[in-house]
Amino acid sequence: MSPEQTQDLMTKRRITLFLTCLINICAGINYAWSVFAQPLAERLSQMTGDVVTSGSLAFAFSLACIFSPLSMIVSGSFADRYGPRYILMIAGLFIAIGFIGSALCTSAIGIIICYGFFVGCGLGSAFNTGMGNVLKFFPDRIGVAGGLASTCFGASSVIVPFIAVMLLAYFDIAQTFIILGSTFGLIIVISAYFTTRCPADFQPAGKKSLLTSTIPDRKTTEMVKSKIFYIMFGLAFCGTLPGMMMISQAARIAQYQAGLSATAAALCVSFLAVCNMSGRLIGGYLSDRFGRIQALMVALAAAIFGSVSVNFCSPESPALIYFALFGVGFSFGSMNSIFPGFTTAEFGRRYNTLNYAIMMIALSTPGIIAPMITNYLYGLSNSFGNSFMVATITALVGIGFAATYILMKRKENQSN
């Protein structure tokens, strides 16, 4: 690759990072589901004459969360082979179809299927494909680049609901869905068109790569056969479970455990979102500065601190809820920003999109399990203390996985 080509790619990689961040903000539209659910239920009730509640439509969100990691695996395989542009464009179209189709549906099952499948596939494909390409472009700043892209995805939890609420003040839910779906889908498609695929031999001019030159580009089949993969998989699962517990129950914990009002509990949810975003940005920086496994251990320590704080939180000491939200939220954000680069650093850049899609199973599965564990244990004791005792133990197990990783790498380096 000539110096002129390298310099041109140095400019294009910054543009691609910006476009990926924009795509991720749009792809995170699923975070606004809680704003959409009640108006959708009311609209269906009026149309059908039957009583439809937001709970009746809740599986649409769950289905989107199921199809999201599945679509990452499919799209990751195509993106590594053919590049990100057309995969991202298809993802944008899927999100548009999901929202516009849901606006036209006249039954709960129609909305659940249309929204769950198309939006879930769209957001999963968009996030994973864009992230994989960005990580290839930034071997010198892999944590910061991944952290920025991940932060923008997390920022949707603040930005998209705000936009949705403003639109609902002037339009009904069907019109709001059509506006959001067509606008966000179009932004993703246009951004995808101008996204540059990172060449396999790209090395940033004058920059020191944080990826060692000895890292082999392992195919996904090779990755899942390695012992280190299962250590990383377990670490990812244990590190994410406390965050998923908190995200699914933050408002209830603030009200029933800390004794806060409904308004204060809503502010706690916003505070958690800010902590999540901060963790994504700071965690990425720490991974570049001090090392990925070290940054992950800091994140796990924060999860333990936050989970223990829940156990001591009460109406007599309500301020502890903010320590809990900060620790668990920061940890969750850090785990999600560090692991894309961690996976790339361990298994190489060439197949990183599909490899990370497989690793994403460990990061997303707690989203299904955590609410069930929390609800079950709360039902036994009318307290979230036992739930977050489980979260504390899980994070400690995660530190065990991290220590095992360090020992395995040390042994591997000695044998080489």
Side-chain angles (χ1 to χ4, degrees):
M1 185 178 294
S2 69
E4 292 79 12
Q5 290 175 315
T6 301
Q7 192 58 45
D8 180 54
L9 285 171
M10 290 292 287
T11 300
K12 288 181 176 178
R13 77 169 187 161
R14 289 190 288 270
I15 296 172
T16 296
L17 175 59
F18 170 77
L19 294 173
T20 300
C21 288
L22 187 60
I23 287 170
N24 281 353
I25 291 174
C26 295
I29 196 170
N30 190 42
Y31 281 123
W33 174 255
S34 60
V35 179
F36 302 140
Q38 188 57 39
L40 276 173
E42 292 173 357
R43 174 175 177 269
L44 285 178
S45 296
Q46 292 173 359
M47 291 177 63
T48 62
D50 298 324
V51 177
V52 180
T53 66
S54 58
S56 305
L57 300 175
F59 192 64
F61 179 82
S62 300
L63 197 63
C65 292
I66 292 171
F67 275 109
S68 176
L70 293 177
S71 67
M72 288 183 180
I73 297 172
V74 177
S75 62
S77 177
F78 283 102
D80 281 337
R81 191 177 306 173
Y82 302 111
R85 178 175 296 169
Y86 295 111
I87 304 301
L88 289 171
M89 293 176 77
I90 292 171
L93 290 174
F94 265 50
I95 288 175
I97 291 170
F99 270 80
I100 295 172
S102 296
L104 301 177
C105 284
T106 57
S107 66
I109 189 64
I111 290 176
I112 289 171
I113 294 174
C114 187
Y115 183 95
F117 175 76
F118 285 103
V119 176
C121 289
L123 75 89
S125 300
F127 176 77
N128 188 49
T129 301
M131 179 69 80
N133 190 50
V134 161
L135 295 179
K136 289 182 173 79
F137 257 128
F138 285 87
D140 56 316
R141 303 285 285 173
I142 193 167
V144 171
L148 279 171
S150 181
T151 298
C152 289
F153 190 75
S156 292
S157 61
V158 178
I159 297 171
V160 178
F162 177 73
I163 295 173
V165 169
M166 285 199 306
L167 288 173
L168 286 169
Y170 297 97
F171 304 99
D172 64 29
I173 185 61
Q175 293 169 324
T176 298
F177 257 43
I178 292 171
I179 293 169
L180 283 173
S182 56
T183 302
F184 279 33
L186 184 62
I187 290 172
I188 293 173
V189 170
I190 294 173
S191 299
Y193 180 79
F194 291 102
T195 294
T196 301
R197 180 182 187 179
C198 181
D201 58 345
F202 173 73
Q203 291 295 333
K207 305 289 184 179
K208 182 180 179 180
S209 175
L210 295 176
L211 306 179
T212 62
S213 58
T214 57
I215 296 175
D217 288 318
R218 298 191 193 180
K219 293 182 178 180
T220 304
T221 51
E222 296 173 324
M223 178 185 76
V224 298
K225 290 178 182 178
S226 66
K227 294 179 181 179
I228 206 79
F229 165 75
Y230 294 97
I231 299 300
M232 292 171 63
F233 196 90
L235 198 165
F237 179 89
C238 292
T240 310
L241 186 72
M244 290 296 191
M245 282 185 168
M246 182 63 78
I247 288 171
S248 64
Q249 305 291 339
R252 291 178 66 199
I253 294 170
Q255 286 184 271
Y256 303 142
Q257 191 91 356
L260 300 183
S261 66
T263 302
L267 291 175
C268 285
V269 174
S270 298
F271 180 71
L272 176 62
V274 172
C275 294
N276 179 6
M277 290 165 55
S278 301
R280 290 171 188 258
L281 194 59
I282 296 172
Y285 168 77
L286 292 176
S287 70
D288 282 349
R289 183 71 177 82
F290 301 105
R292 284 165 286 275
I293 194 66
Q294 289 80 3
L296 286 169
M297 292 185 80
V298 170
L300 288 164
I304 293 170
F305 170 76
S307 298
V308 171
S309 296
V310 174
N311 284 273
F312 292 97
C313 185
S314 68
E316 289 73 35
S317 53
L320 285 175
I321 186 62
Y322 294 101
F323 289 98
L325 293 168
F326 171 76
V328 178
F330 178 87
S331 173
F332 180 79
S334 296
M335 296 294 298
N336 279 276
S337 71
I338 295 169
F339 251 91
F342 189 30
T343 306
T344 301
E346 189 62 42
F347 302 109
R349 288 196 290 169
R350 184 173 180 181
Y351 306 104
N352 72 335
T353 312
L354 180 55
N355 287 345
Y356 177 63
I358 299 298
M359 192 67 71
M360 188 66 189
I361 296 172
L363 295 166
S364 59
T365 303
I368 302 170
I369 298 173
M372 292 189 289
I373 294 174
T374 309
N375 287 328
Y376 175 74
L377 293 177
Y378 181 81
L380 294 178
S381 61
N382 287 326
S383 170
F384 290 100
N386 289 338
S387 300
F388 281 87
M389 184 62 70
V390 171
T392 302
I393 294 170
T394 303
L396 285 169
V397 173
I399 289 180
F401 278 119
T404 303
Y405 173 88
I406 292 172
L407 291 174
M408 290 179 68
K409 296 304 290 186
R410 188 174 297 170
K411 184 177 180 180
E412 181 181 301
N413 292 334
Q414 289 175 350
S415 63
N416 292 335

